[in-house]
Amino acid sequence: NVVLVHVYDVSLEDMFWRINRITANKNSLIKFGGVFHCGVEVYGMEWSFGFTDSETLPGVSSTLAKQHPHHRYRQSVCLGPTSLSAEDLADIISDLIEEWPGETYHLLRRNCCHFADTLVQLLKVGRLPRWINRFAHIGASCESGIETIRRTDEMLGLSAGMCALTKNLVNGAKWMGSLAIANAPHRSEDREGRQQRARRQQ
């Protein structure tokens, strides 16, 4: 019943591996952040969230631990044992399948790391380490700042150039995550099938 967070370099592209090696070296005690995918392993299966373009295809999926087919495994973080049973986990996953449909995925505000943070809290083992999703939080803050400047510009007639300059801060983060969305698997299993599989894993 030990809960592990498995961290991956987003996609299989070497570019993201190189970025993450600099900004969050796995051997370093201090990590600034990176472009990551992550999943939560508990009771022998790893659960994660990703983009789908259909209401009938769930965003929540399971894989063998450290074996996500679309991302490069990097390292694991142990959060300790959960006091919940396998039956409790099945109920949690069933609820999350409904609450996290794949079409609601957002690179900066509702991604796989946000899902993992929600799941580990429900498992009562704390929170996701901040460095795992720090880049997304920074990007989301920049995006909010852009919207604030745009509205202020409309009200007060500030320079349009200022808006354009600030907008560039978030474009990089969005671009770096675009491959993760493009490479996201289109799951063929519907929600009912996923719920049944979760319960069989008890």
Side-chain angles (χ1 to χ4, degrees):
N1 62 345
V2 173
V3 179
L4 296 165
V5 177
H6 299 309
V7 183
Y8 299 76
D9 298 316
V10 160
S11 85
L12 301 176
E13 297 289 330
D14 287 344
M15 175 182 65
F16 297 111
W17 170 75
R18 293 190 183 101
I19 291 171
N20 294 340
R21 184 176 61 174
I22 295 171
T23 60
N25 191 290
K26 61 184 178 181
N27 296 319
S28 174
L29 295 177
I30 300 176
K31 296 177 174 63
F32 177 69
V35 187
F36 300 122
H37 168 82
C38 70
V40 177
E41 179 188 355
V42 60
Y43 287 110
M45 291 299 295
E46 179 179 324
W47 297 93
S48 62
F49 174 67
F51 172 78
T52 61
D53 57 4
S54 171
E55 293 184 356
T56 62
L57 300 178
V60 177
S61 64
S62 63
T63 63
L64 295 176
K66 308 179 187 179
Q67 300 296 317
H68 197 288
H70 296 276
H71 305 287
R72 180 182 297 177
Y73 172 74
R74 181 179 184 80
Q75 67 183 98
S76 298
V77 179
C78 180
L79 297 184
T82 177
S83 60
L84 303 184
S85 67
E87 290 81 5
D88 294 330
L89 172 64
D91 290 338
I92 288 172
I93 293 298
S94 295
D95 290 340
L96 291 177
I97 287 172
E98 298 300 324
E99 296 169 7
W100 291 75
E103 68 271 17
T104 66
Y105 180 94
H106 187 281
L107 177 64
L108 302 178
R109 301 182 184 278
R110 191 177 172 86
N111 61 31
C112 57
C113 300
H114 294 105
F115 170 83
D117 190 43
T118 297
L119 178 52
V120 298
Q121 289 182 72
L122 291 172
L123 293 171
K124 301 180 181 180
V125 290
R127 300 289 301 268
L128 207 65
R130 291 181 180 273
W131 60 268
I132 295 178
N133 206 26
R134 182 170 288 141
F135 275 18
H137 288 311
I138 293 172
S141 296
C142 291
E143 190 175 51
S144 297
I146 290 168
E147 180 62 20
T148 299
I149 291 174
R150 185 190 66 79
R151 292 178 180 177
T152 303
D153 183 54
E154 290 176 351
M155 294 174 60
L156 304 178
L158 296 177
S159 169
M162 182 182 292
C163 282
L165 178 62
T166 307
K167 187 174 182 178
N168 288 334
L169 295 175
V170 76
N171 285 343
K174 288 184 175 180
W175 173 76
M176 287 193 296
S178 62
L179 283 178
I181 297 176
N183 293 333
H186 295 272
R187 285 118 179 150
S188 59
E189 188 176 16
D190 61 19
R191 293 182 180 178
E192 182 178 355
R194 186 74 70 187
Q195 291 171 331
Q196 292 174 353
R197 187 150 69 91
R199 295 187 180 279
R200 286 201 300 271
Q201 292 165 2
Q202 299 175 16

